[in-house]
Amino acid sequence: MRDETALLFANEAFYTAFTDRDMAAMADLWAKDQPIGCIHPGWPPLFGREAVLDSWERILANPAAPEVETAGAEAVCWGDVGIVVCYEKVDDTYLVATNTFVREGKTWKLAYHQAGPVTTPPPGAASNDDDGDEDEEDEEVLLAEAGDDDDLEDDDDDDDDDGDDQPPSRSIH
């Protein structure tokens, strides 16, 4: 089996455990020999097997936890490390997730999961747009809420509006 195919299979097993609320399967999917971490949407970062698995136990045990569907999974592999990026549909909202796997023996194990909001749904999917239409009116509302942007002229290349070439303080790069 190609590494990318095996990664996609491991990723699907992760979401199956999530959907089935199968804590034993979830625990088995996570790496045991490597450090692990997880960032759930809206949560602070979690590191270490105990913290990560405790978070999943709480999520899977919660009867109000929403169903999760996936779409658009893409895998890349670099030796014994692989990443799967996919979309998660939670209720009517799309998130984008990054799942990092490490090879333990001959098996891909999850080492890191992070999911967060995305403004663009996967190709062919409905929008996250609240009113169900995809029109310029939504963009115009956002621009109006942002106020007059004439004073935001910034000719530097650092993606902020302060007039210098330093990366934004929120940047991790």
Side-chain angles (χ1 to χ4, degrees), residues 3 14 48 59 62 145 154 156:
D3 282 335
F14 167 68
I59 290 168
N62 181 354
E145 289 174 356
D154 182 20
D156 58 39

Side-chain angles (χ1 to χ4, degrees), residues 148-156 160-164:
D148 184 10
D149 61 357
D150 289 340
D151 60 341
L152 297 179
E153 293 298 321
D154 182 20
D155 294 329
D156 58 39
D160 63 10
D161 296 314
D162 61 5
D164 68 14

Side-chain angles (χ1 to χ4, degrees), residues 34-139:
Q34 299 294 323
I36 65 172
C38 184
I39 301 178
H40 300 291
W43 291 38
L46 302 170
F47 296 99
R49 191 167 171 81
E50 184 177 341
V52 169
L53 293 182
D54 179 60
S55 74
W56 283 107
E57 190 166 352
R58 290 171 39 205
I59 290 168
L60 299 180
N62 181 354
E67 296 292 321
V68 176
E69 299 173 30
T70 61
E74 298 279 340
V76 292
C77 183
W78 302 279
D80 290 339
V81 176
I83 295 176
V84 177
V85 176
C86 64
Y87 290 89
E88 297 178 353
K89 184 177 181 188
V90 179
D91 294 326
D92 289 326
T93 301
Y94 284 97
L95 306 172
V96 66
T98 303
N99 297 315
T100 303
F101 294 86
V102 294
R103 197 183 326 255
E104 289 188 350
K106 294 183 179 185
T107 306
W108 288 106
K109 297 292 186 173
L110 196 54
Y112 182 78
H113 167 77
Q114 180 172 350
V118 64
T119 57
T120 306
S127 167
N128 282 340
D129 187 351
D130 288 340
D131 60 9
D133 65 353
E134 294 190 52
D135 55 23
E136 292 180 18
E137 181 179 303
D138 297 321
E139 186 173 332

